[in-house]
Amino acid sequence: CPSLLLFISSILFLSMSFLFCYTNSYLIPQSLIRRFLPMDSRSASSLVMSLRPDVAHKYHLPPWAEGKLTNLPKHGRLHLANLPTPLHAIGTSGITSVSKNKKDGEKKEILNRLEELDIKLYIKRDDATGGAELGGNKVRKLEFLLAEALAEGCDSVVTIGGEQSNHCRATASASRMVGLSPHLILRTQRAEPIHDKKDDIGWTGNILFDRMVGSTIYTCTPGEVRSIREFLISCCF
């Protein structure tokens, strides 16, 4: 059955992707690097270290922020994201489409108006920061937060979010990449029946990703979120 084969191939792809993430397996052997790139052993060793996601690097301010930001992260940042992400120009010339509605009649699309005003529109593609497990802007902050966690000798990361939280998915995946155990507190209206074993958090969407990297998952009701956050803050500070 083509549908079944497609489903199985998708699961295998996701499994390999997360095994890759889970085991830190993309630490490239020096012999393989030297085979394709002409360099001595010391250079190859430096390149391998620079590719390790659990090694923090000193944070350098971008030129526009020099002299403006002083509270710099003392533990540096990890290299988890594929940066810099591309900047795509959105073309506006030659667009003649219009929208119609009963109230206003014909109305020009926003791109037509931008062309008339000679405004150039660009999109920063932060969806390209990583694969399905890390894609999005969440990984930018995680590079700093997880660098601090490693520097402080932590072995686990606890975070809270919605049932299908992108933040929790990215945190869980990034944590595994650097050797930390992810613990996720997911906010859901089904928390009580899940706790009583009358329901299950499921295996769909981001929850599937969370499970595939071995996250320990807890649930709470929306009303419990504030007290849980206050408790976590009191434990950390």
Side-chain angles (χ1 to χ4, degrees):
C1 175
S3 298
L4 180 60
L5 290 175
L6 179 61
F7 174 76
I8 293 174
S9 62
S10 299
I11 292 297
L12 287 174
F13 172 78
L14 288 172
S15 300
M16 292 303 295
S17 174
F18 277 92
L19 181 63
F20 192 68
C21 158
Y22 195 114
T23 61
N24 241 1
S25 61
Y26 49 83
L27 302 186
I28 304 173
Q30 294 183 34
S31 58
L32 184 61
I33 291 177
R34 287 197 298 270
R35 179 179 175 183
F36 294 100
L37 298 176
M39 58 178 67
D40 57 27
S41 297
R42 178 178 296 181
S43 299
S45 177
S46 298
L47 180 57
V48 169
M49 289 300 294
S50 70
L51 293 173
R52 288 188 55 175
D54 59 340
V55 175
H57 302 263
K58 184 178 179 181
Y59 175 63
H60 297 282
L61 280 174
W64 59 265
E66 291 179 359
K68 299 176 182 178
L69 300 179
T70 56
N71 187 22
L72 302 182
K74 61 181 179 180
H75 300 298
R77 71 186 298 180
L78 303 176
H79 284 177
L80 302 176
N82 299 322
L83 301 176
T85 51
L87 195 63
H88 287 178
I90 304 300
T92 58
S93 61
I95 297 175
T96 58
S97 60
V98 294
S99 61
K100 296 181 179 180
N101 58 61
K102 294 180 180 179
K103 183 178 179 180
D104 302 322
E106 290 191 353
K107 189 176 182 179
K108 289 186 176 181
E109 296 286 357
I110 182 65
L111 293 182
N112 296 111
R113 292 290 297 136
L114 292 177
E115 183 182 16
E116 291 174 358
L117 297 171
D118 195 27
I119 294 176
K120 293 180 174 61
L121 181 64
Y122 296 86
I123 292 182
K124 181 65 170 169
R125 293 290 307 277
D126 261 19
D127 58 305
T129 53
E133 75 283 3
L134 282 181
N137 60 2
K138 308 294 189 297
V139 69
R140 289 184 179 271
K141 64 179 179 182
L142 289 171
E143 289 189 330
F144 297 96
L145 295 173
L146 296 183
E148 182 176 358
L150 291 172
E152 297 291 339
C154 299
D155 58 14
S156 301
V157 171
V158 181
T159 193
I160 188 169
E163 187 172 343
Q164 290 290 344
S165 168
N166 291 331
H167 159 73
C168 288
R169 178 208 68 211
T171 301
S173 303
S175 296
R176 281 300 185 195
M177 289 173 68
V178 300
L180 300 173
S181 299
H183 294 257
L184 310 180
I185 305 172
L186 301 183
R187 182 182 67 252
T188 174
Q189 297 284 3
R190 301 182 293 124
E192 291 185 5
I194 290 173
H195 182 267
D196 296 335
K197 309 297 183 183
K198 297 178 181 178
D199 199 352
D200 186 78
I201 193 67
W203 294 82
T204 61
N206 284 334
I207 293 174
L208 175 61
F209 284 81
D210 299 337
R211 289 183 183 272
M212 291 181 73
V213 295
S215 304
T216 302
I217 298 176
Y218 314 86
T219 58
C220 71
T221 64
E224 295 172 323
V225 171
R226 182 174 180 179
S227 59
I228 292 174
R229 282 178 175 162
E230 290 176 350
F231 172 75
L232 291 176
I233 291 173
S234 67
C235 291
C236 298
F237 300 101

